[in-house]
Amino acid sequence: VSNHQRICVIPQNFPSMGIKNIESKSKTEKEALAAKDLPKQQAEKKNILDIIQGNKVWQVGITVFTIWALHSMSIVYSFHTNRQMFPTLERANPIGILIAALIAPCFEAYKRLFDYLFYGYFERILNPSKYSNDEEKERRTKKIVKYARGLIYYTTTSLFAFFAFRDQSFWPTWIGGSNTCPDIYTNAPDHFHIPYGNEFYLTQLGYHMWSFVEHFIRRKGEATYWEMNFHHALTVFLISYSFLLGE
């Protein structure tokens, strides 16, 4: 070998050593990240499991409620067809339920009109720095619009009920009426005519019919989907049952 030649001996495994070190480091980082995310993943899995188990409970509840509701409606049917059962009681006209069903679409129109008029306003007044992305801001805006819309409806119906019914015998003094709670049993089971009572009942029934259908169609996938279905179905049934029995 001449003086001008240089011999460099490179280990045969030199490239693989570097790759192995990189792979080892990468694997360690992945394991560290996985260990860090494990509690979050476990929490998410628990939430999903809780939702599934909760949905099953509400589904069973809806099944039991449906059986009970059908039995109760058979009582209503007997009440309307057997005039010897409480012959002095006035029977409500079942056509009222159909009228309520026709009122229900009016609340869909109210929702669409309210959203059209006020969605942009609520979107503008929200501070964008508080939201990480547009999707989160949009979700928050929709929730505010929903609450505002409900606030107007419930405030209006509550004020109407107060001024229309506060002088009736069933409205106690401790909530602004002029009578006492025992007065609700006066002449029971007979009842007396309540001005605007049917109109108020059917409007409320129409609203809750719309709420039930709206939730059933549009809220699929939400954590409280079955729970709220049960809530709306029960409300519609109780108002209908009370109306048909003249209570």
Side-chain angles (χ1 to χ4, degrees), residues 111-122:
K111 174 188 180 300
R112 290 173 180 264
L113 179 62
F114 190 92
D115 292 359
Y116 174 77
L117 294 176
F118 295 102
Y119 183 89
Y121 167 75
F122 286 113

Side-chain angles (χ1 to χ4, degrees), residues 117-189:
L117 294 176
F118 295 102
Y119 183 89
Y121 167 75
F122 286 113
E123 186 180 36
R124 286 193 300 272
I125 65 175
L126 289 179
N127 186 354
S129 63
K130 293 184 178 181
Y131 306 97
S132 57
N133 52 57
D134 292 338
E135 183 180 349
E136 184 179 350
K137 184 180 178 182
E138 180 183 1
R139 186 165 54 247
R140 181 64 175 174
T141 304
K142 288 181 178 179
K143 185 174 291 188
I144 294 175
V145 171
K146 176 184 176 182
Y147 290 158
R149 188 174 64 241
L151 178 64
I152 292 175
Y153 169 77
Y154 287 114
T155 300
T156 301
T157 54
S158 297
L159 289 174
F160 175 84
F162 176 77
F163 289 108
F165 307 135
R166 63 177 177 174
D167 293 328
Q168 298 296 328
S169 61
F170 56 80
W171 201 286
T173 54
W174 55 272
I175 54 174
S178 55
N179 293 281
T180 60
C181 288
D183 290 336
I184 64 174
Y185 303 107
T186 302
N187 299 323

Side-chain angles (χ1 to χ4, degrees), residues 63-78:
T63 303
V64 174
F65 159 73
T66 302
I67 297 172
W68 171 74
L70 291 173
H71 170 69
S72 300
M73 292 309 293
S74 69
I75 297 174
V76 173
Y77 177 79
S78 299

Side-chain angles (χ1 to χ4, degrees), residues 32-105:
L33 290 173
K36 184 178 180 181
D37 291 339
L38 185 61
K40 182 179 179 181
Q41 293 173 356
Q42 290 176 339
E44 290 176 350
K45 188 180 294 185
K46 183 178 182 301
N47 289 337
I48 294 172
L49 187 62
D50 289 344
I51 290 171
I52 294 173
Q53 292 175 341
N55 284 341
K56 288 182 179 179
V57 170
W58 288 113
Q59 289 170 6
V60 171
I62 289 175
T63 303
V64 174
F65 159 73
T66 302
I67 297 172
W68 171 74
L70 291 173
H71 170 69
S72 300
M73 292 309 293
S74 69
I75 297 174
V76 173
Y77 177 79
S78 299
F79 174 72
H80 278 268
T81 56
N82 184 5
R83 290 289 174 174
Q84 295 180 353
M85 183 187 296
F86 302 113
T88 60
L89 284 182
E90 178 184 354
R91 268 67 171 170
N93 192 340
I95 296 298
I97 304 298
L98 177 60
I99 294 174
L102 295 175
I103 293 174

